[in-house]
Amino acid sequence: MVSPSFESLRQAAARVQDLADAMSVLSWDQETYMPPGAIAARAAQLGTLSGMHHRMLAEELMPLAQQLLAQVDSLPAQVQLNVRQLHRQLTKTLKLPEALVTAMATATAEAQHAWEQARAANDFAQFAPHLQRILDLKHEEAECYGYQSERYDALLDSYEPGMTATQLDGTFANLQDQLVPLIQELAQRPQVDDSFLYQPIAQDRQWAYGLGLLEQLGWDTRHGRQDISAHPFSIGIHPSDVRITTLVKETDLMAMVYSTLHEFGHALYERGLDAEHRGLPQGEACSLSIHESQSRIWENNVGRSLPYVQHQYGAIAALYPDGLRGRTALDVFRALNKVAPTPVRIYADEVTYHLHVILRYRLERQLLDGTLAVADLPQAWNDTLHELLGIWPANDAEGVLQDVHWSIGALGYFPTYSLGSLYAAQFWAQACQDLPTLEAQLAAGQFADFRGWLHRHIHSQGRLYDSEALCQRITGQGLQVSYFMDYIRAKMAVVYA
Ligand SMILES: [Zn+2]
């Protein structure tokens, strides 16, 4: 028997979520169809709504959460989880004074603009004072949240509840120790030819192919839409309304294909959330790393697998005006999984990708604890890239200025990308065990069982458990680097046979 006050909490959470959903529509519009001259007005609209949202959390939701927390032991188990998690989230969010929230919003709006110009001009000095301002505000934010051992933990926890830098150190050291020798070893092997993939294909044909891919995977156009944007993203406005974007480049079909698969995975997660519990932990995504595991499992574990490539082979060959020049499905699979260090994270392969994350993790942690000055950041960036990947960026635009994250105040975010790949590998291993014919299904273009598996174990679980506990429930263990290493070694054995 659910207590009546939980019902009132559920209704209040849905009302607050209505406002958040409306903000999501405005953000989606800003990234897709809004005319550029409206940016100042849009920033003001979002600022006003953010303030209202913050106040509704404080005045409507928190009192109910406190009331229920006081009697939590008498509530059903699932309700207990909802109440405890919600109270923890609200307590953290409401530690920030509204003045700091506003100051951060203004500073990041300006910094993002400055970052775009600095990157276009390849001039870090234009961005440096803005980054300094953001760091100062992030210091303040971390102090408001509080932390046990270091400031970084307070920020990391916003993206990855429960995770600490000390835990990450162990995970990343383990990864780095295995990946660096693997990359060196692969560099010694005969190299993979992927040049045949980069032939021009008309953009409308690519677009139609991308929509067809989504349909095969189980995309429901009554509840989702796809558009074009420079930086592909997905946004869940409501479980009944999920949206993704992709990019179409004439000479790079695979950039479109894999960004579509990636965003599909994010959108499927949002689509699978519990609509009856919107705004409560039960109806929210678990964490950024689990979100990223859902995009990467479709992009890499499914999309870059040999069975999937075999299934797509005929359709791909028909798209290229010249065909695939005698290349087999195995050749395409190899080309799609080629390992080659690049200075730019978003172009990185599955193996070198983690080292890009480790670089950013190291530097942002030093920036926060004050052992690295903003002025010394470009040199530190280049030196670390060289240390980890043996290459130098041509300039700051493809070095320290390549990512938007720090300009929007997202410090502590990058690690979730690597964690997402690691969770994806561990979930994939479990799914292959639970669904013994999974690979044959992929080769036949059948995805319903796998979608069902993800929904049962991950999407429907919301945020009732943190990432580590969810992983434990699904796989019987917390996060283990070994699943990713086994997966990638097995794949590379075929790619570089
Ligand atoms: Zn993603």
Side-chain angles (χ1 to χ4, degrees):
M1 180 60 195
V2 174
S3 94
S5 352
F6 181 67
E7 181 54 24
S8 48
L9 180 73
R10 197 182 68 82
Q11 289 175 9
R15 271 198 308 280
V16 179
Q17 190 60 34
D18 283 339
L19 190 55
D21 293 351
M23 288 160 69
S24 296
V25 179
L26 291 179
S27 300
W28 171 82
D29 172 71
Q30 181 182 325
E31 299 298 318
T32 49
Y33 295 111
M34 187 190 80
I39 184 66
R42 182 55 47 89
Q45 292 153 4
L46 285 167
T48 302
L49 292 174
S50 300
M52 285 171 65
H53 185 255
H54 201 75
R55 273 194 298 281
M56 281 176 91
L57 291 177
E59 292 166 11
E60 295 191 29
L61 220 46
M62 190 53 151
L64 286 169
Q66 281 166 335
Q67 201 183 317
L68 278 161
L69 190 69
Q71 52 173 89
V72 75
D73 292 330
S74 65
L75 300 171
Q78 186 118 331
V79 174
Q80 286 194 23
L81 284 170
N82 267 300
V83 170
R84 287 187 207 278
Q85 285 278 31
L86 178 68
H87 188 263
R88 178 187 186 274
Q89 283 167 236
L90 288 174
T91 302
K92 174 155 185 172
T93 306
L94 297 175
K95 277 180 179 170
L96 298 188
E98 214 175 303
L100 180 56
V101 175
T102 310
M104 186 68 83
T106 312
T108 53
E110 289 166 359
Q112 193 182 350
H113 186 65
W115 165 76
E116 278 166 19
Q117 294 190 318
R119 190 170 71 153
N122 183 31
D123 180 11
F124 180 74
Q126 287 185 32
F127 178 53
H130 294 275
L131 181 57
Q132 186 60 58
R133 168 84 179 129
I134 285 174
L135 278 174
D136 293 343
L137 291 169
K138 283 280 153 184
H139 275 206
E140 237 181 280
E141 190 180 308
E143 296 307 323
C144 289
Y145 288 146
Y147 48 87
Q148 292 217 311
S149 56
E150 64 178 291
R151 203 175 276 142
Y152 190 81
D153 288 345
L155 303 181
L156 180 62
D157 183 83
S158 300
Y159 303 109
E160 198 54 31
M163 180 59 78
T164 66
T166 308
Q167 280 173 276
L168 274 182
D169 281 344
T171 304
F172 283 162
N174 186 350
L175 260 181
Q176 187 183 332
D177 289 350
Q178 300 189 71
L179 289 177
V180 170
L182 176 63
I183 293 163
Q184 286 164 352
E185 188 197 320
L186 296 177
Q188 308 300 317
R189 308 261 188 96
Q191 289 308 292
V192 172
D193 174 25
D194 65 349
S195 60
F196 62 92
L197 293 176
Y198 300 94
Q199 307 176 46
I201 298 174
Q203 299 200 356
D204 55 342
R205 295 192 69 200
Q206 291 196 37
W207 175 252
Y209 177 61
L211 289 180
L213 285 181
L214 285 173
E215 211 172 296
Q216 285 169 16
L217 295 174
W219 182 252
D220 181 351
T221 50
R222 287 183 62 248
H223 294 289
R225 60 174 290 131
Q226 178 172 250
D227 294 270
I228 298 268
S229 72
H231 305 283
F233 68 96
S234 75
I235 190 162
I237 291 166
H238 184 277
S240 67
D241 182 359
V242 298
R243 307 189 187 192
I244 63 174
T245 67
T246 191
L247 80 179
V248 181
K249 291 199 273 186
E250 197 173 69
T251 54
D252 196 352
L253 170 71
M254 295 306 168
M256 184 281 292
V257 169
Y258 287 94
S259 96
T260 299
L261 295 185
H262 183 99
E263 303 307 339
F264 167 77
H266 280 305
L268 189 70
Y269 190 4
E270 294 286 325
R271 174 94 181 92
L273 294 175
D274 178 354
E276 295 300 307
H277 291 88
R278 296 163 56 240
L280 288 174
Q282 193 172 334
E284 286 183 336
C286 174
S287 67
L288 283 183
S289 70
I290 298 298
H291 226 303
E292 196 66 9
S293 78
Q294 298 308 288
S295 57
R296 286 175 194 240
I297 212 164
W298 284 100
E299 177 190 354
N300 295 327
N301 303 82
V302 172
R304 288 190 167 88
S305 70
L306 185 54
Y308 185 77
V309 172
Q310 283 165 337
H311 175 251
Q312 288 301 319
Y313 177 75
I316 295 172
L319 273 176
Y320 285 99
D322 252 6
L324 285 167
R325 299 175 185 158
R327 300 317 205 286
T328 64
L330 182 61
D331 294 329
V332 176
F333 165 78
R334 285 185 165 143
L336 289 170
N337 288 289
K338 176 182 176 172
V339 174
T342 153
V344 181
R345 176 184 60 85
I346 60 166
Y347 300 139
D349 54 78
E350 280 183 86
V351 180
T352 57
Y353 192 93
H354 294 287
L355 300 176
H356 289 272
V357 171
I358 290 170
L359 173 152
R360 286 153 178 78
Y361 165 65
R362 268 199 218 171
L363 298 182
E364 63 185 11
R365 200 170 162 200
Q366 290 171 9
L367 285 170
L368 270 169
D369 72 15
T371 53
L372 176 62
V374 167
D376 299 328
L377 179 60
Q379 192 60 50
W381 182 287
N382 297 350
D383 292 344
T384 312
L385 183 73
H386 189 258
E387 178 204 326
L388 293 172
L389 281 164
I391 52 174
W392 300 99
N395 50 47
D396 285 345
E398 69 163 41
V400 68
L401 289 172
Q402 66 182 273
D403 290 315
V404 68
H405 301 62
W406 291 340
S407 80
I408 57 170
L411 282 97
Y413 186 121
F414 283 116
T416 67
Y417 288 142
S418 268
L419 295 172
S421 289
L422 301 180
Y423 279 123
Q426 192 159 339
F427 295 156
W428 180 251
Q430 187 65 45
C432 289
Q433 214 173 6
D434 294 350
L435 306 170
T437 60
L438 181 54
E439 295 214 328
Q441 292 185 26
L442 298 187
Q446 294 163 359
F447 308 101
D449 281 1
F450 185 53
R451 283 200 314 270
W453 189 92
L454 292 173
H455 186 264
R456 232 173 10 260
H457 293 286
I458 297 162
H459 306 172
S460 64
Q461 300 302 306
R463 195 180 184 141
L464 292 177
Y465 312 95
D466 66 21
S467 312
E468 185 74 358
L470 182 68
C471 184
Q472 182 90 38
R473 288 172 67 87
I474 299 169
T475 69
Q477 290 174 293
L479 185 64
Q480 306 289 324
V481 170
S482 59
Y483 288 97
F484 176 80
M485 291 310 305
D486 291 347
Y487 152 79
I488 207 72
R489 285 208 169 96
K491 194 184 237 188
M492 288 306 136
V494 181
V495 175
Y496 289 86

